Amino acid sequence: MVPIEHIMVFTGALFCIGVYGVMARRNAVLVLMAIELMLNAVAINLVAFGTLVYPGQINGMVFAIFVVTIAAAELGLGLAIVLRVYRMRSSINVDDIDLMRW
Amino acid sequence: MDYAWLAPVLPIGAFALNVLIWRQMGARKHALSALTTLAAIGGAFLVFLAVFSDASSHLEGTATSSGLHLIFEDTPWFTVGVSPHLYVFAPTLVVDWLSIMMLGVVTFLAFLIEFYATGYMKGDNRYWWFFSVKALFTAAMLGVVLSYNFLLMYICWELVGLCSFLLIGFWYSERANAEAAKKAFITTRVGDVGFFIGLALLFIKTGTFDMKATFAAVESGAIDPATVTIAGILIFLGAMGKSGQFPLHVWLPDAMAGPTPVSALVHSATMVAAGVYLVGRSYPVFHASSTTMGVITTVGTITAIFGATIALTQRDIKRILAYSTISQLGYMIMALGVGAYTAGLFHLFTHAFFKALLFLGAGSVIHSMEPVLSGTGRNPNDIFNMGGLRKQMPVTFWTFLLASLSLAGIAPLAGFWSKDAILVGAYEADAWLPLFVALLTAFLTAFYMFRCIYLVFFGPAKWQVATAAGDHHDSHSTDHVKGRHAVPHESPWTMSLPLVLICVPAIAAGWIGIPGFSAGFAETVRFGPVIEEHINLVLAGAGTLAGVLGIGLATLMYLTPVSGPRLISESFPAAYKTLYNKYYVDEMYQWIIDHVVLAIAAMAATVDRKILNDRIVDWCGPFLQGAGARLRLTTSGYIYHYAFGFIIGIMAIGVVMSGGIPDMRFALW
Amino acid sequence: MELSALAFYVVAGVTLVAALGVVSARSVVYAALLLILSLVMTGLVYLLLLADYLALIQILVYGGTVSILLLFALMLTPPETRPELNHRGWALGAVASGALFVLLLVSSLADKWPVAGAARHISLVDLGRALFSTWAVPFEVASVVLLVALLGALTIARSTTPGSKIAPRASA
């Protein structure tokens, strides 16, 4: 198997792509997709450490399962909010949603 | 003797009961609080008796470390700091002969004066508050007496000052009284600041407020002599403020604005003696430095003669007594300064009784003059408005005469023995100037006391003329003016009984210190080894002669119809005016306040207004407004702006936690 | 180079390319499809890391449910006539993520991580045992979280909410 550093670089890149997506995208659904990328990067990292650095230990995998669970819940809620916002403002562009502005 | 702590706790309990519970009781609160206070102080007196009998069989007499019984020495009170700079404070109380003596004086006099006050204060609509404060005062005073920890003592010391303030300004609706209270508080504060700084100095050097440890450090030379001197003088400043020593005496005559029982207890017998007591208690600190002792002697000597000369010309009976008190306190301080430890405290002991008696007598006189002179606009305290009262007020007259004789130092009354002890002490210390001043003061004391007696109790009844002139021109109808009882009369029994009772110690208190006969005092309250005292017949004779001469001069000038006083005052107008105006000390202070203190205050006010306010405070608001207006723009409402800040922040935290860029190991792993 | 390593680099590369596509695609539908690809590839990474159960879940949950959910959301929220998918602040995002990537890169490569022994396969039985003994409480909490999310999603997305201030049709 590959060295752990390579996996870390891979997941780091995936995470940063997610960050870029969150910050650059206008469409709220695309923002949610980018968040999924970030979550996945973290989950891969957990599993990789569990398998390669602490072989035989199960915690990394368990954490990953929880991450998947939370991701599912988060996505469900996020999409519900998106739908709601769309119904209110007929738009899901995040730069139209500036209620918290000065 | 471990129950001595009860003595201050009982009155403070009475105070709490009065102000927390009896206060709600409507009209009954007056009687209830008077009873509670009396009972508590009576209880404290019983505690004294028990401690006294215990101590007689158990305690060696000395003021140094071996003859002490300490209570709560190891009880933690509070701690400050962490080890190795951990300071543990214990509320140590001391039972030795000095504190037992003061315990007796305070509780005995407080009880009788409280009893007297039940009559004197009758009808006052803050009767209950008077007794509450008196209870608090007694507790605080006993605290001062018993504490063996400078901090505890300082707390009680300030409480005593507070009570004094409340009692002087008891009738605060009159502006002069409120001013007098304020003056007393502020003047003593000047001394107390010195006291506090002195304590702080000692604390810095020893790391403790415990007197035992402090004295041990001073005696072993662990503290450098310069610090001991400075700390001693600073602590003595506190004693000066409390005991009305020149130049901090100005508050004491004005303090006579309070009710007379207050003057008797607080401002003559006990509180003002606290300064002398402090000097006696902290004697190791003073004794270690000859400079400090010199300062003490000088201040005491100046005060003794200073107070006595002013008392010569005063017209207000209570002010005469006040200046007499100042003079006598100077006497004690002087004795302590020349090293006559026992003599100074012995005089404190005897003086408390006869001076309290004098004040109670004066109160009795004023009490009976007030209804006579009311409505005439004449001052009931003015001795030139009295006269011939010995027929109307026999009890008051005889007790007052007795106390005056005692004060004048006529054998075998109490004052003679203590005054003689001081003279002997000054002689043996080769302190010739203090000795001369002491004799002169004794002469003056006898003179002004008998001037007072002759004007009050002998001669024509000037109050009669006064009432007649005030209302009708017919002197026979004075008894019926407005149906009022317009002749002075003896005070009620509640007031005259304490007068008679205090006579006993005023006569006999000195006998416990007669050299060769019963030297109980010299053996118990002492500093260092027992000194075999003996009567110096020359000095005793000189002291008595001074007293007799003073009495004789007063008799010549005031009893016989020679116009002596006027002659003298008119031949030496400058001297008379200086004395009558109390050496212009008050005027001098006023000038200093007007020209120095107020000038500094005006400068400070300018700095405050122009710089602090106009520049700094006024600038704050606009600055924050402007900053807010700019910072507001950062909340753009765009998620990516927030996310950007968030990620930068996370990265910063990561860099910090990893301990820097080169080695990126995360600290938490 | 052993086979599994080669497989990993291929899979990782595809995942990254797909992810880049997700954040840069010009069409939301393409983005969604590329996301599905990326997620499935992630499942393969799990498989290579000997976590076969997790790989299964990944493909089922993400490849199935999540993608369907996303597509539904896209369908229910028709884009504007001329969709501009990136907004003006995209450069800011690029700077932030670039800087973060540099930091992660440096911190990943700055130190040698201990690799202890050979990777071992963990059986489904062990996983189940751990989930229901050591991790029982977090597991139950996670189920509650799911329930709450379900109810919350229902409440928020319901078409009309009487008395609610943010329901335009109710107030209209």
Side-chain angles (χ1 to χ4, degrees):
Chain A
M1 199 50 209
V2 294
I4 187 81
E5 287 83 7
H6 293 197
I7 301 183
M8 283 170 73
V9 170
F10 161 57
T11 55
L14 196 56
F15 187 83
C16 288
I17 290 167
V19 169
Y20 170 75
V22 167
M23 290 179 69
R25 289 304 210 176
R26 254 176 112 213
N27 189 314
V29 178
L30 290 177
V31 170
L32 284 173
M33 293 182 188
I35 291 176
E36 293 307 314
L37 287 179
M38 289 159 72
L39 282 166
N40 265 290
V42 172
I44 293 170
N45 222 0
L46 288 169
V47 176
F49 267 86
T51 310
L52 299 180
V53 183
Y54 303 101
Q57 279 205 21
I58 212 160
N59 295 352
M61 251 166 92
V62 173
F63 280 165
I65 289 174
F66 284 128
V67 168
V68 171
T69 316
I70 300 300
E74 170 264 326
L75 192 66
L77 275 176
L79 287 177
I81 293 171
V82 167
L83 285 182
R84 185 76 185 177
V85 169
Y86 181 77
R87 218 174 283 135
M88 276 172 65
R89 321 205 104 192
S90 304
S91 162
I92 50 167
N93 286 342
V94 286
D95 40 3
D96 289 343
I97 310 167
D98 53 2
L99 283 173
M100 283 164 66
R101 224 186 134 180
W102 44 272
Chain B
M1 286 172 282
D2 284 335
Y3 46 81
W5 59 270
L6 274 173
V9 167
L10 280 174
I12 208 161
F15 171 74
L17 203 61
N18 288 349
V19 297
L20 294 180
I21 299 177
W22 298 154
R23 185 190 183 158
Q24 323 288 336
M25 290 289 188
R28 274 179 304 164
K29 67 186 174 190
H30 298 304
L32 282 172
S33 62
L35 270 179
T36 315
T37 304
L38 268 177
I41 296 176
F45 183 62
L46 294 181
V47 170
F48 155 70
L49 289 180
V51 170
F52 180 75
S53 66
D54 259 16
S56 304
S57 50
H58 289 114
L59 211 59
E60 268 185 76
T62 160
T64 46
S65 49
S66 62
L68 303 173
H69 181 79
L70 297 181
I71 310 170
F72 303 139
E73 195 181 3
D74 301 318
T75 313
W77 180 16
F78 63 93
T79 57
V80 172
V82 288
S83 183
H85 297 286
L86 178 70
Y87 302 111
V88 182
F89 296 94
T92 317
L93 300 182
V94 64
V95 178
D96 66 350
W97 281 107
L98 180 57
S99 62
I100 291 172
M101 174 197 94
M102 287 300 288
L103 204 60
V105 170
V106 173
T107 50
F108 177 76
L109 287 178
F111 183 76
L112 287 181
I113 291 170
E114 244 41 272
F115 189 73
Y116 174 93
T118 55
Y120 189 89
M121 298 301 291
K122 206 169 215 49
D124 196 285
N125 57 3
R126 292 196 306 149
Y127 196 80
W128 73 277
W129 175 241
F130 181 82
F131 283 98
S132 308
V133 178
K134 281 282 221 170
L136 180 62
F137 167 77
T138 312
M141 187 67 208
L142 292 174
V144 169
V145 167
L146 286 176
S147 45
Y148 207 56
N149 176 313
F150 276 122
L151 194 63
L152 184 61
M153 186 187 228
Y154 188 78
I155 291 170
C156 295
W157 181 270
E158 293 297 347
L159 265 181
V160 164
L162 168 74
C163 293
S164 166
F165 169 79
L166 290 174
L167 289 168
I168 294 169
F170 186 72
W171 290 314
Y172 57 79
S173 51
E174 266 183 54
R175 189 168 173 77
N177 296 353
E179 294 282 348
K182 208 164 68 185
K183 186 172 175 181
F185 201 67
I186 294 171
T187 312
T188 49
R189 184 75 39 251
V190 174
D192 289 351
V193 169
F195 187 15
F196 195 77
I197 298 172
L199 293 188
L201 260 182
L202 287 180
F203 181 79
I204 289 169
K205 292 288 173 186
T206 62
T208 177
F209 279 118
D210 185 65
M211 289 196 195
K212 192 176 173 182
T214 308
F215 296 159
V218 169
E219 277 163 0
S220 70
I223 313 176
D224 57 299
T227 310
V228 172
T229 305
I230 293 168
I233 291 174
L234 286 170
I235 293 175
F236 180 60
L237 264 181
M240 281 167 68
K242 214 54 132 193
S243 283
Q245 297 297 296
F246 177 83
L248 295 180
H249 67 281
V250 289
W251 66 273
L252 189 53
D254 288 14
M256 298 304 140
T260 303
V262 171
S263 310
L265 180 63
V266 181
H267 301 118
S268 71
T270 60
M271 187 193 85
V272 291
V276 182
Y277 176 79
L278 174 67
V279 177
R281 174 57 76 203
S282 320
Y283 210 58
V285 178
F286 301 121
H287 195 255
S289 157
S290 58
T291 315
T292 316
M293 294 295 268
V295 169
I296 295 176
T297 313
T298 312
V299 169
T301 312
I302 291 174
T303 310
I305 188 79
F306 181 83
T309 47
I310 293 177
L312 296 177
T313 57
Q314 296 303 305
R315 298 169 67 101
D316 184 320
I317 185 169
K318 284 176 74 178
R319 275 176 182 265
I320 294 174
L321 295 178
Y323 280 108
S324 167
T325 306
I326 291 175
S327 164
Q328 296 298 312
L329 290 167
Y331 232 77
M332 302 167 202
I333 295 282
M334 180 184 84
L336 290 171
V338 299
Y341 183 84
T342 305
L345 293 168
F346 188 30
H347 196 55
L348 164 63
F349 177 65
T350 55
H351 171 263
F353 296 111
F354 55 71
K355 188 48 69 63
L357 183 53
L358 282 173
F359 265 103
L360 295 185
S364 174
V365 170
I366 295 165
H367 194 64
S368 62
M369 288 305 291
E370 260 170 359
V372 179
L373 290 181
S374 73
T376 64
R378 304 189 64 170
N379 186 353
N381 288 11
D382 191 339
I383 52 175
F384 286 94
N385 288 341
M386 302 174 188
L389 291 177
R390 73 177 183 282
K391 296 186 204 76
Q392 276 81 15
M393 311 179 68
V395 178
T396 307
F397 168 63
W398 285 109
T399 52
F400 199 89
L401 180 65
L402 195 129
S404 299
L405 284 170
S406 190
L407 175 57
I410 304 299
L413 302 174
F416 169 76
W417 303 106
S418 54
K419 192 164 282 189
D420 187 51
I422 290 179
L423 292 177
V424 172
Y427 171 73
E428 284 178 352
D430 284 332
W432 294 105
L433 187 65
L435 179 63
F436 173 71
V437 170
L439 282 171
L440 185 61
T441 306
F443 167 73
L444 294 174
T445 306
F447 176 77
Y448 66 69
M449 279 323 295
F450 277 83
R451 165 180 177 263
C452 177
I453 286 184
Y454 291 140
L455 286 172
V456 173
F457 293 104
F458 290 86
K462 277 154 274 185
W463 43 271
Q464 237 168 12
V465 184
T467 43
D471 295 306
H472 303 283
H473 290 282
D474 183 3
S475 62
H476 291 288
S477 63
T478 46
D479 287 5
H480 310 288
V481 176
K482 294 173 188 167
R484 200 184 290 136
H485 192 63
V487 167
H489 55 92
E490 188 56 84
S491 303
W493 71 274
T494 49
M495 289 168 65
S496 48
L497 180 66
L499 288 178
V500 176
L501 284 177
I502 298 180
C503 271
V504 177
I507 296 168
W511 297 351
I512 61 167
I514 301 175
F517 168 62
S518 150
F521 205 91
E523 277 174 16
T524 49
V525 180
R526 63 186 161 83
F527 185 76
V530 185
I531 302 163
E532 194 60 45
E533 289 197 23
H534 44 82
I535 297 184
N536 184 327
L537 280 177
V538 178
L539 283 178
T544 314
L545 186 67
V548 171
L549 277 178
I551 296 170
L553 187 61
T555 315
L556 274 180
M557 280 174 67
Y558 290 96
L559 191 59
T560 53
V562 183
S563 63
R566 177 158 305 178
L567 199 68
I568 292 175
S569 66
E570 280 169 4
S571 5
F572 305 102
Y576 177 78
K577 278 190 74 178
T578 308
L579 290 183
Y580 187 73
N581 289 309
K582 304 156 247 174
Y583 291 101
Y584 298 103
V585 174
D586 278 316
E587 283 74 9
M588 197 180 76
Y589 283 156
Q590 191 63 50
W591 189 89
I592 290 175
I593 290 169
D594 285 346
H595 291 85
V596 179
V597 177
L598 288 185
I600 294 173
M603 261 160 55
T606 311
V607 170
D608 176 49
R609 218 164 281 147
K610 298 282 178 234
I611 295 175
L612 290 179
N613 186 51
D614 291 358
R615 289 286 138 79
I616 295 176
V617 177
D618 282 359
W619 170 82
C620 277
F623 169 74
L624 288 179
Q625 271 185 344
R630 281 162 187 79
L631 282 173
R632 196 172 72 132
L633 301 177
T634 59
T635 60
S636 59
Y638 296 125
I639 290 174
Y640 55 91
H641 283 161
Y642 301 155
F644 183 73
F646 177 70
I647 284 166
I648 298 295
I650 291 284
M651 285 166 64
I653 290 174
V655 170
V656 170
M657 276 172 66
S658 66
I661 309 288
D663 179 10
M664 291 304 291
R665 188 200 305 278
F666 280 75
L668 286 186
W669 281 9
Chain C
M1 188 182 282
E2 54 181 304
L3 198 60
S4 64
L6 187 66
F8 172 77
Y9 291 125
V10 171
V11 169
V14 173
T15 312
L16 284 180
V17 169
L20 276 172
V22 170
V23 297
S24 59
R26 289 260 158 199
S27 146
V28 285
V29 182
Y30 284 172
L33 292 175
L34 284 169
L35 179 70
I36 294 168
L37 177 62
S38 165
L39 295 174
V40 170
M41 285 297 137
T42 308
L44 291 184
V45 173
Y46 288 148
L47 206 58
L48 288 171
L49 288 169
L50 305 184
D52 45 4
Y53 173 65
L54 205 55
L56 203 63
I57 287 192
Q58 175 78 13
I59 290 165
L60 277 179
V61 172
Y62 279 106
T65 326
V66 168
S67 12
I68 300 297
L69 209 54
L70 282 169
L71 286 173
F72 262 103
L74 290 175
M75 192 181 77
L76 289 173
T77 56
E80 296 159 49
T81 44
R82 264 191 83 250
E84 181 62 45
L85 292 182
N86 286 359
H87 54 58
R88 286 170 297 137
W90 70 270
L92 207 58
V95 170
S97 58
L100 186 62
F101 181 64
V102 170
L103 185 69
L104 288 176
L105 198 67
V106 171
S107 58
S108 303
L109 300 178
D111 211 0
K112 215 56 185 151
W113 296 95
V115 176
R120 262 192 288 158
H121 178 254
I122 289 169
S123 72
L124 192 53
V125 178
D126 290 342
L127 186 62
R129 219 180 279 283
L131 266 185
F132 287 98
S133 58
T134 316
W135 299 95
V137 175
F139 184 83
E140 295 302 329
V141 172
S143 67
V144 173
V145 168
L146 276 178
L147 177 66
V148 171
L150 182 69
L151 292 174
L154 267 178
T155 316
I156 292 171
R158 223 164 28 167
S159 57
T160 54
T161 312
S164 167
K165 278 177 193 163
I166 57 167
R169 286 183 204 166
S171 59

